[in-house]
Amino acid sequence: MADKKITALTSLGTATAREDLVHVVDDPSGTPINKKVTIGEMNNALMAPVSLADSAVTLTEATHAGRLLIGNDLTADRIMTLPTPIAGMHFRFVGPNIASAAEDGHDLIIAAGSITVTA
């Protein structure tokens, strides 16, 4: 097969399957290495839930965006700081005290720049 630019390759579109391979450049800003990953492996890694500590947490796009964020029963008021927003970035929270602090009197405070919300 002759060399082709990635942009010149044929798209699988809706025929994409979990066992299909994706080319990945690992550590592009350090020592780049060409690697492969299946779409299934990539999806599993990117969608794995993240357990949040019972402490102040600064969320990042790389670690937290698009994933299910599982909160703990709070032992004190806690501040969760969101990263600078970008188009399409979202967060999903579940767990005790995420929606109501009335049960034990501890507040979850979500800070987003100049906006602060207490739940």
Side-chain angles (χ1 to χ4, degrees):
M1 177 171 142
D3 291 341
K4 282 188 176 183
K5 291 183 178 183
I6 291 176
T7 55
L9 297 174
T10 303
S11 172
L12 281 173
T14 59
T16 302
R18 290 183 60 85
E19 65 272 4
D20 290 338
L21 296 175
V22 176
H23 175 251
V24 177
V25 179
D26 187 20
D27 195 17
S29 60
T31 307
I33 300 172
N34 289 311
K35 294 187 177 179
K36 66 179 180 180
V37 65
T38 68
I39 289 176
E41 291 168 335
M42 184 174 66
N43 187 53
N44 291 345
L46 295 176
M47 298 306 289
V50 176
S51 182
L52 299 172
D54 179 18
S55 62
V57 177
T58 299
L59 303 181
T60 66
E61 178 193 9
T63 302
H64 303 98
R67 295 183 175 181
L68 183 63
L69 306 175
I70 302 171
N72 292 302
D73 186 17
L74 302 178
T75 58
D77 291 355
R78 302 293 185 207
I79 297 175
M80 196 172 298
T81 304
L82 300 177
T84 302
I86 60 171
M89 183 170 55
H90 67 278
F91 300 92
R92 296 177 299 147
F93 300 96
V94 297
N97 294 336
I98 293 297
S100 171
E103 294 178 13
D104 61 11
H106 300 122
D107 291 329
L108 172 62
I109 302 159
I110 300 175
S114 62
I115 300 170
T116 301
V117 177
T118 302

